[in-house]
Amino acid sequence: MSKLLVLRLCFVLIASSSLFHVGTSITHKSQDGSEEWGYVQVRPKAHMFWWLYRSPSRVDAGSKPWPTILWLQGGPGGSGTGFGNFLEIGPLNLNLKPRNSTWLQKAHLLFVDNPVGTGYSYVESGGEFVKGDVEAAIDMTTLLTEVSNDIVGLRNATLYIFAESYGGKFAVTLALSLLQAIQAGNLTLNLRGVALGNSSGSYLLNLSKERTVLLCGNEKHTKGFTKSHENLHFYWILDAGHFVPVDQPCVTLNMVDAITESPAS
Ligand SMILES: *[C@@H]1O[C@H](CO)[C@@H](O)[C@H](O)[C@H]1NC(C)=O
Ligand SMILES: *[C@@H]1O[C@H](CO)[C@@H](O)[C@H](O)[C@H]1NC(C)=O
Ligand SMILES: *[C@@H]1O[C@H](CO)[C@@H](O)[C@H](O)[C@H]1NC(C)=O
Ligand SMILES: *[C@@H]1O[C@H](CO)[C@@H](O)[C@H](O)[C@H]1NC(C)=O
Ligand SMILES: *[C@@H]1O[C@H](CO)[C@@H](O)[C@H](O)[C@H]1NC(C)=O
């Protein structure tokens, strides 16, 4: 079944490459509606690929809406629909076997190959590549505007951007661009938060004092520390390399649950 989907996906990619008009999108859906994927032409000759997984764990819990996570890979040039999806947090691993630590337990997951030129996102001529983070953010804003218009349920979604490595720079630039588009009335999304994982940047919190110890499951040893100041939350996960969700799946899932205030049990 999953293999079939991947094959269908490849077919769609090949079949649809030159059918676009500017600003239009093409969307496909799995039979049960749990997955949607497609392209948005974000500028003339510049096409971005996205892939949405709806969570089978979704519960409606009154004031706590079910969150959607937009995952941004680093690099720049790392494919989110590839690395983040199959290596880190998506429902299937590289062998297309279920991943028991998938973040789908806590949220819907939206992967995008960002910026154009990454993964399945492509340009028709070299002049269409982005030249910086701000241009990348504008393309992503166009993509999210199209996708949230097209995809039932994503409009007004409570969105969290999670980013790894260089993706942290994209995430912050994108969040500002999205807020401007939302304020201008160009986009209805409920942007709730940005999470930067092992990101480039500098950190001022001193985690040596007044920190909360993170434990997980039945294990007694410390998995990490967290400290908050108002709505800024800092997590320090121990014994983890660059792919934190892979190295420490249990405590990472708890972190995602806390950040997104997921109603998942
Ligand atoms: C998830 O898989 C890992 C090994 O891949 C295993 O150690 C762990 O117990 C599993 N967790 C659950 C909840 O099944
Ligand atoms: C989105 O929110 C706006 C304002 O709260 C509301 O008018 C609109 O009906 C909502 N749209 C959807 C699709 O839920
Ligand atoms: C909102 O959309 C209008 C019309 O497409 C565009 O001119 C304007 O630049 C957009 N503003 C923002 C902040 O996205
Ligand atoms: C952090 O706090 C500890 C304990 O109070 C202190 O020893 C250390 O010097 C502080 N580090 C920095 C960088 O301020
Ligand atoms: C990122 O992870 C590496 C280990 O892979 C670690 O050495 C480094 O301190 C981390 N940086 C940040 C900002 O989290």
Side-chain angles (χ1 to χ4, degrees):
M1 185 63 192
S2 311
K3 276 188 183 145
L4 190 67
L5 177 63
V6 172
L7 288 178
R8 268 181 57 191
L9 189 64
C10 295
F11 175 74
V12 168
L13 295 180
I14 293 158
S16 59
S17 49
S18 57
L19 302 174
F20 301 98
H21 309 287
V22 177
T24 57
S25 56
I26 189 164
T27 303
H28 296 272
K29 222 181 231 199
S30 59
Q31 242 166 18
D32 64 0
S34 64
E35 295 178 36
E36 290 185 45
W37 62 92
Y39 272 101
V40 174
Q41 175 155 308
V42 290
R43 279 175 288 121
K45 301 183 176 179
H47 309 266
M48 290 187 84
F49 179 67
W50 57 271
W51 191 345
L52 174 80
Y53 293 89
R54 288 179 207 284
S55 172
S57 312
R58 179 184 180 151
V59 286
D60 286 309
S63 59
K64 269 183 156 188
W66 189 258
T68 299
I69 290 176
L70 167 65
W71 172 270
L72 293 180
Q73 205 71 40
S79 160
T81 71
F83 289 110
N85 182 13
F86 289 105
L87 285 179
E88 299 192 67
I89 66 168
L92 300 176
N93 67 19
L94 265 188
N95 301 316
L96 303 183
K97 295 278 185 301
R99 167 180 287 112
N100 66 10
S101 59
T102 176
W103 290 13
L104 216 46
Q105 292 164 73
K106 304 294 181 187
H108 299 319
L109 297 179
L110 175 62
F111 296 98
V112 180
D113 283 340
N114 164 72
V116 285
T118 300
Y120 287 125
S121 295
Y122 66 97
V123 291
E124 292 173 38
S125 75
E128 310 305 327
F129 288 123
V130 298
K131 282 144 201 97
D133 299 340
V134 171
E135 286 182 29
I138 292 169
D139 281 356
M140 276 294 297
T141 303
T142 304
L143 177 125
L144 285 171
T145 306
E146 289 297 315
V147 164
S148 62
N149 281 339
D150 272 15
I151 299 179
V152 181
L154 202 58
R155 209 158 185 201
N156 294 354
T158 51
L159 185 76
Y160 294 84
I161 305 171
F162 276 73
E164 178 181 284
S165 198
Y166 193 94
K169 296 200 179 199
F170 289 137
V172 171
T173 325
L174 172 61
L176 289 172
S177 170
L178 287 177
L179 287 177
Q180 284 165 1
I182 291 165
Q183 272 161 13
N186 289 0
L187 172 64
T188 31
L189 269 182
N190 189 352
L191 178 62
R192 288 283 190 91
V194 177
L196 312 179
N198 199 245
S199 186
S200 334
S202 53
Y203 302 97
L204 300 174
L205 282 179
N206 185 345
L207 275 197
S208 305
K209 50 185 178 182
E210 293 161 29
R211 59 194 185 180
T212 304
V213 169
L214 298 172
L215 300 167
C216 215
N218 298 324
E219 292 183 50
K220 295 275 188 291
H221 62 267
T222 302
K223 289 292 194 178
F225 303 100
T226 183
K227 185 168 181 172
S228 295
H229 176 71
E230 296 181 0
N231 64 347
L232 174 68
H233 309 284
F234 192 95
Y235 286 82
W236 178 13
I237 311 290
L238 300 174
D239 297 322
H242 209 48
F243 280 9
V244 178
V246 177
D247 296 328
Q248 294 295 344
C250 180
V251 69
T252 304
L253 262 183
N254 286 353
M255 176 189 75
V256 169
D257 187 277
I259 291 174
T260 63
E261 301 179 86
S262 174
S265 46

